[in-house]
Amino acid sequence: EDLGRADLHKSVTEIIKACQRLSKTDTGALIIVGSDIPESITDSGVQIQAEISADLLETIFFPKTNLHDGAVVIMANKVVCAGWYLPMRQDANLPREFGSRHRAAIALSESNSDLTVVVVSEETGIISAMHNGKVKRYLDAVQLKLILDSAMGLLDAGAEVTIWGLGK
């Protein structure tokens, strides 16, 4: 089904709103965004298949709930599943402040170049994004919007190069 750009823009707005609120309360989050996510990812975790809303994302990542430690998987304008656990990357070269969410996100983005992974740090509230093994940290709403617009296919292919500096 071909989603309208307005639906995708609304989804991006809701993800940003959730990330900003989670950041303010130092609530950790791990959000996988992509248009072609492998079934090995979408079939795991708890199936949700719900429209994206900031409230839903905040509820999923609320501490002490069963799903809060796993990843949320987003395709188009749907939260596909939640509570998915990623393989972690053990790498001495990563900054010490990168916890398990960051390490898992980097590993996933390296092995799936079509995915963008957004992380809200539980320790610092810093919002980061990973794509193709590249990391952008200290994201504000404007930067996060560009990254999510690109991940949702709302920008042309050249935008990805501009955002991530990926020279082919």
Side-chain angles (χ1 to χ4, degrees), residues 23-81:
S23 170
K24 282 190 179 82
T25 57
D26 291 341
T27 303
L30 181 56
I31 302 171
I32 302 166
V33 182
S35 55
D36 190 22
I37 299 177
E39 278 182 21
S40 60
I41 295 174
T42 59
D43 286 351
S44 51
V46 175
Q47 294 300 305
I48 294 184
Q49 302 298 338
E51 196 171 310
I52 297 166
S53 74
D55 288 342
L56 175 60
L57 292 171
E58 288 174 79
T59 300
I60 290 169
F61 290 116
F62 188 77
K64 299 188 180 35
T65 61
N66 291 340
L67 300 176
H68 87 278
D69 266 341
V72 161
V73 176
I74 291 178
M75 277 175 60
N77 70 337
K78 290 268 187 277
V79 174
V80 178
C81 63

Side-chain angles (χ1 to χ4, degrees), residues 91-103:
D91 188 336
N93 297 330
L94 293 175
R96 217 178 41 236
E97 64 267 23
F98 277 8
S100 55
R101 281 188 184 90
H102 292 86
R103 292 173 188 278

Side-chain angles (χ1 to χ4, degrees), residues 146-167:
L146 259 179
I147 287 167
L148 289 170
D149 282 349
S150 176
M152 291 278 197
L154 290 165
L155 304 176
D156 64 39
E160 188 177 293
V161 175
T162 307
I163 294 166
W164 295 101
L166 304 171

Side-chain angles (χ1 to χ4, degrees), residues 113-127:
S113 62
D114 294 338
L115 303 183
T116 298
V117 187
V118 177
V119 177
V120 179
S121 170
E122 196 172 301
E123 304 294 317
T124 61
I126 293 167
I127 301 170

